[in-house]
PDB file of all heavy atoms in Angstrom:
ATOM      1  N   LEU A  48      -3.485   5.648  -0.851  1.00 97.00           N
ATOM      2  CA  LEU A  48      -4.192   6.394   0.230  1.00 97.00           C
ATOM      3  C   LEU A  48      -3.479   7.708   0.503  1.00 97.00           C
ATOM      4  O   LEU A  48      -2.270   7.735   0.625  1.00 97.00           O
ATOM      5  CB  LEU A  48      -4.203   5.567   1.512  1.00 97.00           C
ATOM      6  CG  LEU A  48      -4.866   6.239   2.753  1.00 97.00           C
ATOM      7  CD1 LEU A  48      -6.377   6.452   2.495  1.00 97.00           C
ATOM      8  CD2 LEU A  48      -4.614   5.430   4.025  1.00 97.00           C
ATOM      9  N   LEU A  49      -4.287   8.767   0.561  1.00 98.00           N
ATOM     10  CA  LEU A  49      -3.739  10.082   0.987  1.00 98.00           C
ATOM     11  C   LEU A  49      -4.317  10.430   2.352  1.00 98.00           C
ATOM     12  O   LEU A  49      -5.532  10.234   2.564  1.00 98.00           O
ATOM     13  CB  LEU A  49      -4.180  11.156  -0.039  1.00 98.00           C
ATOM     14  CG  LEU A  49      -3.212  11.496  -1.140  1.00 98.00           C
ATOM     15  CD1 LEU A  49      -3.878  12.496  -2.070  1.00 98.00           C
ATOM     16  CD2 LEU A  49      -1.922  12.035  -0.643  1.00 98.00           C
ATOM     17  N   ILE A  50      -3.479  10.998   3.203  1.00 98.00           N
ATOM     18  CA  ILE A  50      -3.898  11.449   4.520  1.00 98.00           C
ATOM     19  C   ILE A  50      -3.524  12.908   4.688  1.00 98.00           C
ATOM     20  O   ILE A  50      -2.380  13.281   4.404  1.00 98.00           O
ATOM     21  CB  ILE A  50      -3.240  10.627   5.653  1.00 98.00           C
ATOM     22  CG1 ILE A  50      -3.623   9.126   5.502  1.00 98.00           C
ATOM     23  CG2 ILE A  50      -3.651  11.140   7.023  1.00 98.00           C
ATOM     24  CD1 ILE A  50      -2.858   8.238   6.490  1.00 98.00           C
ATOM     25  N   LEU A  51      -4.449  13.726   5.066  1.00 98.00           N
ATOM     26  CA  LEU A  51      -4.198  15.091   5.439  1.00 98.00           C
ATOM     27  C   LEU A  51      -4.204  15.140   6.963  1.00 98.00           C
ATOM     28  O   LEU A  51      -5.198  14.709   7.589  1.00 98.00           O
ATOM     29  CB  LEU A  51      -5.270  16.034   4.875  1.00 98.00           C
ATOM     30  CG  LEU A  51      -5.163  17.505   5.280  1.00 98.00           C
ATOM     31  CD1 LEU A  51      -3.831  18.140   4.836  1.00 98.00           C
ATOM     32  CD2 LEU A  51      -6.374  18.333   4.734  1.00 98.00           C
ATOM     33  N   ALA A  52      -3.132  15.628   7.556  1.00 98.00           N
ATOM     34  CA  ALA A  52      -2.993  15.632   9.017  1.00 98.00           C
ATOM     35  C   ALA A  52      -2.553  17.039   9.487  1.00 98.00           C
ATOM     36  O   ALA A  52      -1.559  17.580   9.038  1.00 98.00           O
ATOM     37  CB  ALA A  52      -1.966  14.589   9.450  1.00 98.00           C
ATOM     38  N   GLY A  53      -3.339  17.585  10.425  1.00 98.00           N
ATOM     39  CA  GLY A  53      -2.940  18.894  10.953  1.00 98.00           C
ATOM     40  C   GLY A  53      -3.723  19.233  12.201  1.00 98.00           C
ATOM     41  O   GLY A  53      -4.479  18.426  12.719  1.00 98.00           O
ATOM     42  N   ILE A  54      -3.516  20.415  12.655  1.00 98.00           N
ATOM     43  CA  ILE A  54      -4.223  20.930  13.829  1.00 98.00           C
ATOM     44  C   ILE A  54      -5.511  21.603  13.386  1.00 98.00           C
ATOM     45  O   ILE A  54      -5.711  21.882  12.204  1.00 98.00           O
ATOM     46  CB  ILE A  54      -3.402  21.862  14.679  1.00 98.00           C
ATOM     47  CG1 ILE A  54      -3.012  23.140  13.876  1.00 98.00           C
ATOM     48  CG2 ILE A  54      -2.147  21.180  15.203  1.00 98.00           C
ATOM     49  CD1 ILE A  54      -2.306  24.207  14.702  1.00 98.00           C
ATOM     50  N   ALA A  55      -6.431  21.854  14.320  1.00 98.00           N
ATOM     51  CA  ALA A  55      -7.715  22.481  14.005  1.00 98.00           C
ATOM     52  C   ALA A  55      -8.199  23.193  15.245  1.00 98.00           C
ATOM     53  O   ALA A  55      -7.839  22.839  16.377  1.00 98.00           O
ATOM     54  CB  ALA A  55      -8.726  21.442  13.529  1.00 98.00           C
ATOM     55  N   GLY A  56      -9.069  24.124  15.049  1.00 96.00           N
ATOM     56  CA  GLY A  56      -9.838  24.726  16.109  1.00 96.00           C
ATOM     57  C   GLY A  56     -11.168  24.062  16.314  1.00 96.00           C
ATOM     58  O   GLY A  56     -11.681  23.457  15.373  1.00 96.00           O
ATOM     59  N   MET A  57     -11.649  24.067  17.531  1.00 96.00           N
ATOM     60  CA  MET A  57     -12.979  23.492  17.801  1.00 96.00           C
ATOM     61  C   MET A  57     -13.959  24.615  18.118  1.00 96.00           C
ATOM     62  O   MET A  57     -13.609  25.614  18.779  1.00 96.00           O
ATOM     63  CB  MET A  57     -12.910  22.518  18.965  1.00 96.00           C
ATOM     64  CG  MET A  57     -12.575  23.093  20.295  1.00 96.00           C
ATOM     65  SD  MET A  57     -12.729  21.927  21.685  1.00 96.00           S
ATOM     66  CE  MET A  57     -12.195  22.917  23.053  1.00 96.00           C
ATOM     67  N   TYR A  58     -15.191  24.451  17.658  1.00 95.00           N
ATOM     68  CA  TYR A  58     -16.222  25.424  17.999  1.00 95.00           C
ATOM     69  C   TYR A  58     -16.695  25.171  19.418  1.00 95.00           C
ATOM     70  O   TYR A  58     -16.667  24.037  19.896  1.00 95.00           O
ATOM     71  CB  TYR A  58     -17.381  25.303  17.021  1.00 95.00           C
ATOM     72  CG  TYR A  58     -16.999  25.895  15.657  1.00 95.00           C
ATOM     73  CD1 TYR A  58     -16.625  25.073  14.604  1.00 95.00           C
ATOM     74  CD2 TYR A  58     -16.914  27.253  15.455  1.00 95.00           C
ATOM     75  CE1 TYR A  58     -16.268  25.578  13.361  1.00 95.00           C
ATOM     76  CE2 TYR A  58     -16.540  27.790  14.251  1.00 95.00           C
ATOM     77  CZ  TYR A  58     -16.217  26.941  13.199  1.00 95.00           C
ATOM     78  OH  TYR A  58     -15.836  27.473  11.979  1.00 95.00           O
TER      79      TYR A  58
END
Side-chain angles (χ1 to χ4, degrees):
L48 177 66
L49 266 176
I50 300 173
L51 176 61
I54 62 173
M57 65 174 178
Y58 288 101

